[in-house]
Amino acid sequence: MSVNFAALWICAWVMVNRLGDRSHRPLQRSQGRLLFLLMATLSLGWGGGSPATAAAAGLCPAQLGEEIEAIVSRPEFLRARWGIAVQSLAADAPLLYGREAEQYFIPASNVKLMTTAAALVMLPPDEQIRTAVYWENDDADAAVVRIVGRGDPSLTREDLADLAGQLRDRGIRQIARLIVEDQYFGDDPVHPNWEWEDVQAGYGAPVNSLILDLNEIPFWLYPQAVGQPLRLVWEDATQAGRWQVDDQTVTATAESPAFVAVGRDLSRPILHIRGQLPVGGQPDRSAVSVPDPSDHFRRAFVQILTAAAIPVGESHLAIAPTTPAGEAVAAVLSPPLAELVRIANQDSDNLHAEALLRQMGAIATATPNLLPPDALRPNAATLEAGLAALQFSLSEIGVNADTYRLADGSGLSRHNLVSPIALVQTLAAMARHPQGSVYRESLAIAGQTGTLRSRFRNTPVEGRLAGKTGGLSGISALSGYLDPPNYEPLVFSIMVNHASHPGSRLRAAIDDMVLRLAQLQDGC
């Protein structure tokens, strides 16, 4: 369809000026925006344009509030609650825009911004977590060994095979007794106020001192012939004999939608699967959390030692932590802290964030005078100590402790309460911190990496936003650093709670706001 855009501009100009004439006032700023939006709509509808077209015009800082209010005031958000803070990264800059900026919201995974910031303030970025095996006697043919965990969230079966190889290289050919010490954190691995739905899922895996393969049990579901149940394939084939499967799945017709819901019994190895996949469609990868992470680790290590020709006579879990006697004969190290922080933020990995929080707690409880005397109760659990260490570390860089209340390190808990200003303060403070570049590089990049990989593509925001997403039912959030093309660098936090629309609708509205921020320009 051929369109004369010059004629369209003229018609639009006449329409807008008639609106002005009716009120006997000159063309107002809002009417000028109507002209631009009308042409943007025409361009998108007839010219094959993109969202970037509508975001191309400049926006004066004085107009920002009106633009954002127009989005949050849409009828679909009548019952939703928005919290927003936007600020220049310049030192001591006032808020450029705020809406309930100092009020509490449930922040979802934006909590990770605070956890990882505190970890980088408290610990060096090259810090690594060591998992070691100690030889407690001198008999290589009937060794007594103890493996001691320190909460490395990256530990895999390949690492356990590496440990087995190191033991074999030291001449250990048989283990009479294997002691598995999973006591470094000391807390219940399952968070006390995570929801039932979450603790069943792989993303809500328990957090202990000997984590293995993210403490999740992954599997694939494949469509078969129409009407048949989906085919279940465990990534670890040994799991097939351990689980009873309650299978309520079906292979649907090719035009049917795909949906899968999985869960597990809390106390028994029963896997519940519901849903459907279309015939000929893509398989679905799902995961449930490990029911008993300590025993899961023990069984896996015995299996790997046996495969390495190091038979194990007996194995058991240590009742209490010890100072290991004897020589450390094998060890593996986690990636540096900077990499663990990147996984927590860029991939929004809950387990890594929770492990970092407990690392801070374990160090705080083991290091006298690290925290102020009143910061920690006597005999505080590792989770509690981690939250105290987080608050102290963030206070050290200027984040007001009254602007948030945290219950976990990942944002999975609905008990977390965080204000937009708390996140803005955290981001701004870290921009000036010696580890600021490590922190910023850990974030997802709009249109390119992590959880922002598929957002803001082909817009002025692509590549210019480093941020952290967040989402729970009725909740969506995005906070981060933005470098507008024609304005000074910004830090912002946008959160919405109590929404009834799908997450995709909430993310779209947030993205609209960020596109407005990218339109800001100096000199007006």
Side-chain angles (χ1 to χ4, degrees), residues 395-483:
S395 295
E396 288 283 285
I397 61 172
V399 180
N400 185 345
D402 291 332
T403 60
Y404 64 92
R405 293 287 183 271
L406 296 186
D408 70 9
S410 64
L412 198 54
S413 172
R414 274 74 167 176
H415 292 232
N416 291 310
L417 296 172
V418 177
S419 64
I421 200 69
L423 292 166
V424 164
Q425 287 180 1
T426 300
L427 289 158
M430 288 304 294
R432 297 185 284 272
H433 191 269
Q435 304 306 329
S437 61
V438 174
Y439 182 69
R440 181 161 182 158
E441 289 167 7
S442 76
L443 303 178
I445 304 300
Q448 298 177 6
T449 63
T451 57
L452 285 172
R453 175 183 302 110
S454 300
R455 292 170 70 173
F456 299 106
R457 286 182 176 175
N458 303 316
T459 74
V461 174
E462 181 174 1
R464 293 179 174 273
L465 164 63
K468 180 74 201 71
T469 59
L472 295 168
S473 178
I475 297 165
S476 192
L478 178 62
S479 302
Y481 303 102
L482 178 65
D483 296 323

Side-chain angles (χ1 to χ4, degrees), residues 43-302:
S43 299
L44 287 170
W46 285 309
S50 70
T53 310
L59 187 68
C60 296
Q63 297 172 278
L64 180 62
E66 186 177 351
E67 293 287 332
I68 293 179
E69 290 296 328
I71 297 172
V72 302
S73 300
R74 292 171 182 170
E76 62 195 279
F77 301 130
L78 178 64
R79 292 176 176 82
R81 180 168 170 253
W82 291 87
I84 305 169
V86 182
Q87 188 175 39
S88 166
L89 262 179
D92 301 320
L95 277 184
L96 189 61
Y97 172 80
R99 178 187 175 91
E100 294 199 52
E102 297 190 12
Q103 303 303 308
Y104 284 156
F105 290 80
I106 300 174
S109 282
N110 274 207
V111 165
K112 294 182 178 76
L113 288 170
M114 309 185 82
T115 304
T116 55
L120 288 169
V121 170
M122 185 173 179
L123 303 169
D126 58 355
E127 180 88 356
Q128 294 175 279
I129 303 169
R130 186 170 185 254
T131 303
V133 180
Y134 296 84
W135 190 358
E136 297 196 343
N137 66 349
D138 296 325
D139 189 349
D141 293 324
V144 175
V145 300
R146 177 186 296 264
I147 183 167
V148 180
R150 292 289 184 268
D152 176 3
S154 69
L155 203 65
T156 65
R157 290 172 185 267
E158 288 74 21
D159 293 318
L160 297 191
D162 186 356
L163 291 174
Q166 293 180 51
L167 293 176
R168 191 174 56 247
D169 292 344
R170 291 299 298 264
I172 295 176
R173 296 292 179 262
Q174 182 175 342
I175 295 176
R177 186 157 57 100
L178 171 66
I179 305 167
V180 177
E181 186 170 314
D182 186 15
Q183 301 288 331
Y184 185 61
F185 290 158
D187 293 328
D188 186 334
V190 178
H191 196 283
N193 59 37
W194 284 357
E195 293 196 354
W196 164 236
E197 177 186 6
D198 297 329
V199 300
Q200 298 178 69
Y203 64 80
V207 187
N208 62 316
S209 308
L210 281 169
I211 296 164
L212 181 62
D213 290 335
L214 299 176
N215 275 353
E216 66 175 16
I217 302 174
F219 53 89
W220 290 84
L221 295 170
Y222 291 84
Q224 302 194 90
V226 173
Q228 292 186 346
L230 304 177
R231 180 166 60 92
L232 170 66
V233 178
W234 300 93
E235 287 193 4
D236 174 12
T238 64
Q239 295 294 334
R242 292 189 52 81
W243 289 83
Q244 174 186 339
V245 180
D246 170 24
D247 188 348
Q248 300 294 326
T249 65
V250 67
T251 302
T253 57
E255 64 275 9
S256 300
F259 61 91
V260 171
V262 302
R264 65 166 176 82
D265 192 89
L266 184 61
S267 58
R268 297 172 297 166
I270 302 176
L271 176 67
H272 303 284
I273 315 174
R274 305 284 188 275
Q276 65 182 34
L277 295 176
V279 63
Q282 293 298 312
D284 177 83
R285 186 183 188 273
S286 297
V288 290
S289 58
V290 171
D292 187 344
S294 300
D295 195 57
H296 174 74
F297 184 96
R298 180 193 63 79
R299 286 186 286 102
F301 196 30
V302 168

Side-chain angles (χ1 to χ4, degrees), residues 247-379:
D247 188 348
Q248 300 294 326
T249 65
V250 67
T251 302
T253 57
E255 64 275 9
S256 300
F259 61 91
V260 171
V262 302
R264 65 166 176 82
D265 192 89
L266 184 61
S267 58
R268 297 172 297 166
I270 302 176
L271 176 67
H272 303 284
I273 315 174
R274 305 284 188 275
Q276 65 182 34
L277 295 176
V279 63
Q282 293 298 312
D284 177 83
R285 186 183 188 273
S286 297
V288 290
S289 58
V290 171
D292 187 344
S294 300
D295 195 57
H296 174 74
F297 184 96
R298 180 193 63 79
R299 286 186 286 102
F301 196 30
V302 168
Q303 177 189 359
I304 288 169
L305 288 167
T306 302
I310 305 175
V312 178
E314 65 175 84
S315 62
H316 63 85
L317 302 175
I319 297 174
T322 63
T323 300
E327 178 187 3
V329 290
V332 291
L333 295 173
S334 74
L337 174 68
E339 175 62 11
L340 301 181
V341 165
R342 185 200 65 79
I343 295 170
N345 279 335
Q346 196 170 114
D347 300 336
S348 201
D349 188 87
N350 294 325
L351 185 70
H352 276 68
E354 295 296 337
L356 289 174
L357 180 67
R358 286 160 179 77
Q359 286 292 332
M360 292 188 282
I363 292 169
T365 55
T367 308
N369 305 319
L370 181 64
L371 302 183
D374 59 347
L376 203 58
R377 295 188 305 114
N379 302 315

